[in-house]
Every structure is written in structure tokens, then in C-alpha cells.
Amino acid sequence: MEEKNKILECAVDAIITIDAQDTITAWNPAAQSIFGWSTEEVMGKKFSETLLPEITRKKYFERLEHYNRTGETTLLNTPLENNVLHRSGHEFPVEFYATSTQNINGNSFIIFARDITERKYRDLRIRQAYQSQSVTNAILKISLEHTSIDEMLSRSLDHILSLESIKLIPRGAILLVEDHPDILELKVQRGFTVEQLTACGRVPFGKCHCGRAATTGTIQFVECIDHKHDILVKNMKPHGHYCVPIQSGSNILGVLALYLKEGHCRRIEEEELLLAITNILAGVIERKKVEEQRFALIDSLKTIITDLLDEKKFNESIIQSLNVGLMVLDLKGRIVTSNPVGRKILEQFAYAFYIDGKSLGEIVGINAAAEMMKIKNPMPGKTDELRLLTRKNEERFLRYTAAPREDSTGKKVGIIVSFNDVTRMKYIQEEMEKMNRLSTVAEIASAVAHEVRNPLAGIKTMSQSIEENMAADDENREYIKRIIKQVDRLNELLTEFFTYAKPGSAKKVETSLFDIVSETKPLIKLKLHKKNISLSEEYGESLPDILVDPNQLQQVFLNLMLNSIDAVSVDGRISIRANRLEVHDKENYCLVYPGLKEGIDYVVVYFSDNGPGMTVEVAEKAFEPFFTTKHDGSGLGLSIVYRILKTNNALIYIDCTQTSGTTFIMFFEAGKKWEKS
């Protein structure tokens, strides 16, 4: 009996015993940890009424009734995944199954339960990544077809509405900025009524949720029809919205409007997915518009060139008004004239101030000029592309189409080249490919580190054995020591690889932030003293404990401190400031840091140094694996920080608004012992 009790106390899974009347008769410590109820609180209570929501309760009783009726235990023993109730009232997913047992009081049941919240979350993220990739791949595939922009948008909207990871109503629309820079025009829609088509046909910037998304350049989310719903129609059914801006840089191209079930909760994962999709849409829309404009322009110019006798009038009335690059060449390849957009593109390659009058070969090179001057009979939508280097040795891609220039008699007198710099569009395509590669970086790093560590251990062991057998005055002893030193250095790097690839599950407990920092300081005390760096700490009054894995969080602060020590100069400063996030401040913080969740209390920590700081470009890549600005860095320090904090449901940002120094802003879930003011 004593051995049985020890097993129950040490078990990781919840083990609950109930009698035939559904009354709880045993409750182990793991059950208390998972469900939040102490043994005293649940003993004698009904298992189903205490822990199971209504829908789960039905499945549970179906299994018990099947067993009581047939005596068959197969269904009873089959694991069941469903939501259960925590003592705090919230639901969370659990995998549980039951087994029957006989005692003097008749039948009883032993229920085994395991919290699968983390597993569900990982599965959700994998499904979201897969769906995001599938949708973006589908949109990119559609964009390569010879279809109109309206057809492309219509088919893309169908793919977006098919997303299963977001609970969408099968209703949505894409609005674009067309003739007027501050008006959204409805291009494609699904599920709109006649009244909605009329009301939402043209939406001014700033009006309703779509207009505000275009004005602010940020996602607009509402869970219901609220007072900000400026456009209302008769018999409108309850719903919520994600209105996502489609933008290229600061240029607003349109808005993606999606409908949600009323009461839908806002999630950062959903917003990241939608932003990834709209970023692809932005690139595709820009390319489609440029292509349509370019091909329409070439056809138009062929007709105009035939009719025009006055070349000057042609240059002034047509070429100068184009929004794609265009140049007119004579038969020798000299640029007769070019439009402003074309000159701006060509100035990247020219060393002379003036473009017109120069030979195209002098600007882009003889071989590239010869290719651009070839007259071809392209299929509709067919263009040619060149890779060129600017005078600053930067890579650029030009997409172009060449057409003959004829006089009024039909004699060929030159060449008209329409071209555009498509470097940005290609960059977007490369970024999508990069996303696919980076998704496996952690797995590859772990595999490589595992394969390398074993041979290294063998090298070190053999080197130490050789050293032991050497004479004390052997001159080769120094070489062996150097080998061992380098092996140890590689082992340290492999340890960082493992930490990044597999940070481990977080064993979160309510822990004092002050204690964590105190445990970390002795590890860097010597380095601080050596560079005469001051470390200051400031903790707000009534600061609650934070819900984290203490060992993992020590690693976070150690990495941040080492990073700052490397960054600051002698007599530098490092400061740690922590406060609880007050309720009246949380709304403002949520606007800047959208990762914060409703219903969760946070402790905000500012980790600052007075080093040289980071540029916006560096800050954007700071948490990427293997990115570093140090000549001897591995690029894993901040990546490990990010992975560990993610595992502990914490958030980290870099403050890019300050002019000097670097400040990391971290948000931690506060423990249950939150002292409300």
C-alpha cells in the first residue's frame, strides 16, 4: 500500500479514482497541479460535475454506460481528448482515459489525465504555418498565370477564406486603392448582400473598419458590431472583423476584410498569418498592376508611333507621363529620350549626370544593351529580364520589353524599350523561399550538433590519453593542450546549438524576479568588475512573482547581461527595472505590443545598457538564429533568449525609439498572488 501511494504521489499524470456513483475517492498531487483543486476540495464531489464541461460530460457518460451495459472495456480505455474545467473556471485540453477495477464496494474507475495544452498549441502553430504556406503558394502560383488582377484577387480570396486555423465566416472582400488615393474600391467579395455591395462599393479612408485600416496601416479587429461600425445595412447579422491593410512599405494598396463569428478572440498568431498573406498580396498586386500597365502601354505606343509625325510632341505628351521606365533608342543604341522614371532607374548604373544622348552600352554594358535592343515577338505576358550591377556594385533586376519605333512611312528608325526595376518583387519571392528554409534551421542545428559532439568527445579522450602518456618535457605536450582547448571551445558552441534547437519544456512556478537576477549576478560579477560596469536594479512596490521556469530565466538574463557587457565600453551602465503592468496602462501597451493577451496580468521588465545601440535594421534581425554583428559571435545568444521566453509564454521586444543604448522590454505572466491595488 505504501509503495502504491508513492507511485501516485510521484506520477506525472493526474490519477483520479471514482466509485460507481461518479464520486471522487482518490486524487493525486499531479491532479491537484493540473486541475487546481486540492484533495480536500474534491473528495466526495462528483467527478463529472466538478471537472467536465457539458459537451465533454456527455461523451464521458456514454463511455461509462457502454461499459455498464456490455462490460466491454475497449471504448473505456481508449484515450479521449477534450476540454476540462480548471478550478479558476477556464477550460483547457486534456487527454484522459479510464480503466475499471473491482473492490468490496463494487465497480470503481481509475481515470488518468494529462494536460496537452502545449501539444495543442504546437500542433496549431504547425497547421497555421502549413496553411499560410499553402495559401501564399497558391496566390503566387495564380499570380504567374496570365489572368487579370480581378480574376487573381477573386481566386486568392477563395483560398484565404478556406483557412481552417481562423474561424472565419464564409464572407469577405478585397478593396483596392484605384483612381482616388484616399478611396477604397470594392474589387472582389464573397457573401455580400445587394445592400452591402452598394454601401461598401466605395469606402473613404478613415471610415468604418476598412477605412481605418487603410488610414493607420494597422490591423483593425472587432469582435462584434460596435459603435465604430460606420457602415450598417438592413438585417445585418452579428459578426466580427479582421480588416488587414495591404501595403508596400508606407504605400497603402488596399484592405483585406474578413468576417468572424461574434465574440471571436483576437490572437497574435492569426494576425501574423494574415500579415504574411497580405504582404504577398501586396507584391503580387504591384506586379500585376505594372504588368497590365506595361503591356497596355506597349500596345498603345505601337499605335501612337505609327500615327505621330512629330517626335517632340510624342516625347512631351506621352513618354513623360508614364509611370514605368521608357526610353527611345536610335538604331545605334543611343538614348534619344527617356522618361523621368526610366532616368531614375538608369541613374543607378550611369556615372554621368545626363542619361539622354548617351549610348545604352555605356550605362548598362555592351552585352546587356544588346539584349535589351533585340526585337522579339513576345507572347502575351511574356517579358525578358536582366541582372545588372549598379555603380555601387549593388544587384538589380530589370524586366523589359522592346518594340520597334517606326516613322510615318513604316520605316524602322529606332527601338522603344519599356522596363522596370523588379528587384523588390524578386526579394519578396526569395523571402518566401527563405521562410521555408528557416523553418528547419533548429532541426538541422540539433542534428549537426549531435553528429559532431560524439567525434569531438572521442578526439578529446584520445588527446587526454596521449597527454597522460607523454613525458613531462615532451615538446608535443603543448600541441595536445591546444587540441583539447579547441575541442572544449567547439563543445561550448555545440551547447549553444542544443539550447537553441531544444530549449526544453518550461517547468513554470511562481518565482521572484529579484531572486532570479540575484542568482545570475555572481556568474558575471568578475566581468562587470573587470570593465568597471555598474549594474543597477529597481523593482516596483508590491511586485508579484512571475510564472516562469527559474533555471531557464536565469539563462535569459545571463545571455542579456553578457550581450550588454560586450556592447558597453569601460565604465558603462546596465540597468534592470521591473513593474507590474497596471490595468489603466495595459490598453496603451496592447497597441504597441500586440502580443499581450486579454485576461492575463503581466510584469514588465526593462533591461537597458548605454552601449552604441542598434539600428532598426539590426533590431529587426536581432532574434534570428546565427545573425550577429560580432566578429567572434555565434549569433545564437538572443535567439536562445527568444526561444526560452516563448516557451515560458513571455514576450520580448527591442525599443528602437531611443537614440542611444539598447533597451529590451519583456513581459512575464504574473503569478496568482497578484495584489490588486
Side-chain angles (χ1 to χ4, degrees), residues 336-603:
V336 178
T337 187
S338 60
N339 69 338
V341 176
R343 287 194 292 273
K344 185 175 181 180
I345 295 174
L346 294 176
E347 283 171 0
Q348 301 176 88
F349 312 99
Y351 288 93
F353 182 74
Y354 295 103
I355 298 297
D356 294 350
K358 295 289 182 181
S359 168
L360 182 60
E362 294 179 48
I363 298 173
V364 299
I366 295 175
N367 294 335
E371 286 295 320
M372 295 181 74
M373 293 174 62
K374 288 181 180 178
I375 304 298
K376 303 175 183 179
N377 296 314
M379 297 292 290
K382 174 69 175 177
T383 58
D384 294 296
E385 192 171 287
L386 278 175
R387 172 187 172 276
L388 301 172
L389 293 177
T390 68
R391 60 178 184 271
K392 297 180 180 179
N393 207 35
E394 297 173 343
E395 190 176 58
R396 289 288 184 272
F397 292 89
L398 294 188
R399 190 165 290 172
Y400 66 93
T401 303
R405 178 191 175 203
E406 300 174 346
D407 62 15
S408 57
T409 64
K411 180 181 178 181
K412 180 181 176 181
V413 294
I415 302 168
I416 300 172
V417 181
S418 172
F419 60 100
N420 206 0
D421 188 337
V422 295
T423 307
R424 175 176 175 78
M425 184 188 70
K426 293 185 72 67
Y427 173 77
I428 293 174
Q429 293 172 343
E430 291 171 358
E431 282 297 302
M432 290 303 304
E433 296 174 1
K434 182 179 177 182
M435 287 172 62
N436 291 336
R437 294 194 302 269
L438 288 180
S439 64
T440 58
V441 167
E443 287 78 4
I444 294 174
S446 177
V448 171
H450 180 76
E451 291 298 325
V452 172
R453 174 162 281 182
N454 290 336
L456 280 179
I459 293 171
K460 183 174 181 179
T461 301
M462 288 187 288
S463 298
Q464 289 173 333
S465 177
I466 293 171
E467 183 183 20
E468 290 173 357
N469 294 323
M470 280 184 174
D473 57 348
D474 193 324
E475 62 181 12
N476 291 318
R477 181 180 290 273
E478 178 62 26
Y479 297 120
I480 296 299
K481 289 182 177 179
R482 291 183 181 181
I483 292 173
I484 295 172
K485 182 178 181 181
Q486 293 303 317
V487 169
D488 290 339
R489 182 172 176 270
L490 286 174
N491 266 320
E492 291 178 4
L493 181 59
L494 291 177
T495 300
E496 290 187 349
F497 268 53
F498 279 119
T499 304
Y500 168 72
K502 297 180 179 179
S505 59
K507 299 177 181 178
K508 297 190 291 182
V509 295
E510 295 188 16
T511 309
S512 166
L513 178 65
F514 175 82
D515 291 344
I516 292 173
V517 175
S518 298
E519 291 290 333
T520 308
K521 286 192 294 184
L523 303 177
I524 47 92
K525 181 178 180 181
L526 185 59
K527 289 181 177 290
L528 292 174
H529 178 73
K530 187 175 181 181
K531 294 183 70 173
N532 196 28
I533 297 172
S534 65
L535 173 62
S536 62
E537 301 171 59
E538 181 182 341
Y539 302 95
E541 294 183 5
S542 303
L543 187 70
D545 290 346
I546 55 177
L547 190 59
V548 294
D549 184 319
N551 294 326
Q552 290 188 348
L553 199 58
Q554 284 183 31
Q555 180 70 50
V556 167
F557 277 98
L558 179 60
N559 284 15
L560 291 177
M561 288 178 180
L562 292 175
N563 199 63
S564 290
I565 290 171
D566 289 341
V568 301
S569 58
V570 176
D571 298 329
R573 297 188 307 276
I574 299 175
S575 66
I576 300 173
R577 181 164 54 91
N579 291 290
R580 64 181 188 178
L581 187 58
E582 300 291 350
V583 175
H584 57 271
D585 291 332
K586 190 171 184 180
E587 183 175 352
N588 294 331
Y589 273 83
C590 287
L591 296 175
V592 182
Y593 308 108
L596 298 177
K597 299 178 181 179
E598 292 293 333
I600 295 179
D601 297 314
Y602 288 97
V603 172

Side-chain angles (χ1 to χ4, degrees), residues 212-464:
R212 280 188 284 275
T215 301
T216 62
T218 59
I219 294 178
Q220 300 295 304
F221 168 81
V222 288
E223 64 179 7
C224 62
I225 302 174
D226 59 5
H227 65 283
K228 294 182 180 180
H229 222 107
D230 301 326
I231 299 177
L232 299 173
V233 297
K234 186 178 180 181
N235 298 324
M236 180 179 287
K237 295 181 179 180
H239 64 269
H241 272 305
Y242 271 130
C243 293
V244 189
I246 304 171
Q247 59 186 32
S248 175
S250 60
N251 184 30
I252 299 295
L253 304 179
V255 170
L256 169 65
L258 301 175
Y259 284 68
L260 308 165
K261 291 183 179 180
E262 186 180 47
H264 184 88
C265 294
R266 184 174 193 171
R267 294 184 175 89
I268 185 63
E269 300 87 5
E270 294 176 350
E271 295 188 1
E272 291 173 349
L273 171 60
L274 294 177
L275 284 174
I277 292 173
T278 54
N279 284 339
I280 297 299
L281 272 179
V284 171
I285 290 170
E286 282 190 322
R287 186 173 69 83
K288 279 289 185 182
K289 284 186 174 181
V290 169
E291 286 181 353
E292 290 183 359
Q293 291 170 349
R294 183 169 61 249
F295 292 120
L297 179 62
I298 292 297
D299 292 338
S300 174
L301 288 178
K302 288 180 180 179
T303 303
I304 294 173
I305 292 172
T306 303
D307 298 334
L308 287 177
L309 299 175
D310 191 341
E311 186 175 351
K312 181 178 180 180
K313 182 179 179 181
F314 164 75
N315 292 337
E316 293 177 351
S317 61
I318 303 298
I319 298 180
Q320 301 301 322
S321 65
L322 301 177
N323 60 357
V324 295
L326 195 73
M327 57 184 169
V328 179
L329 307 175
D330 62 19
L331 295 176
K332 293 182 179 180
R334 185 176 288 105
I335 300 174
V336 178
T337 187
S338 60
N339 69 338
V341 176
R343 287 194 292 273
K344 185 175 181 180
I345 295 174
L346 294 176
E347 283 171 0
Q348 301 176 88
F349 312 99
Y351 288 93
F353 182 74
Y354 295 103
I355 298 297
D356 294 350
K358 295 289 182 181
S359 168
L360 182 60
E362 294 179 48
I363 298 173
V364 299
I366 295 175
N367 294 335
E371 286 295 320
M372 295 181 74
M373 293 174 62
K374 288 181 180 178
I375 304 298
K376 303 175 183 179
N377 296 314
M379 297 292 290
K382 174 69 175 177
T383 58
D384 294 296
E385 192 171 287
L386 278 175
R387 172 187 172 276
L388 301 172
L389 293 177
T390 68
R391 60 178 184 271
K392 297 180 180 179
N393 207 35
E394 297 173 343
E395 190 176 58
R396 289 288 184 272
F397 292 89
L398 294 188
R399 190 165 290 172
Y400 66 93
T401 303
R405 178 191 175 203
E406 300 174 346
D407 62 15
S408 57
T409 64
K411 180 181 178 181
K412 180 181 176 181
V413 294
I415 302 168
I416 300 172
V417 181
S418 172
F419 60 100
N420 206 0
D421 188 337
V422 295
T423 307
R424 175 176 175 78
M425 184 188 70
K426 293 185 72 67
Y427 173 77
I428 293 174
Q429 293 172 343
E430 291 171 358
E431 282 297 302
M432 290 303 304
E433 296 174 1
K434 182 179 177 182
M435 287 172 62
N436 291 336
R437 294 194 302 269
L438 288 180
S439 64
T440 58
V441 167
E443 287 78 4
I444 294 174
S446 177
V448 171
H450 180 76
E451 291 298 325
V452 172
R453 174 162 281 182
N454 290 336
L456 280 179
I459 293 171
K460 183 174 181 179
T461 301
M462 288 187 288
S463 298
Q464 289 173 333

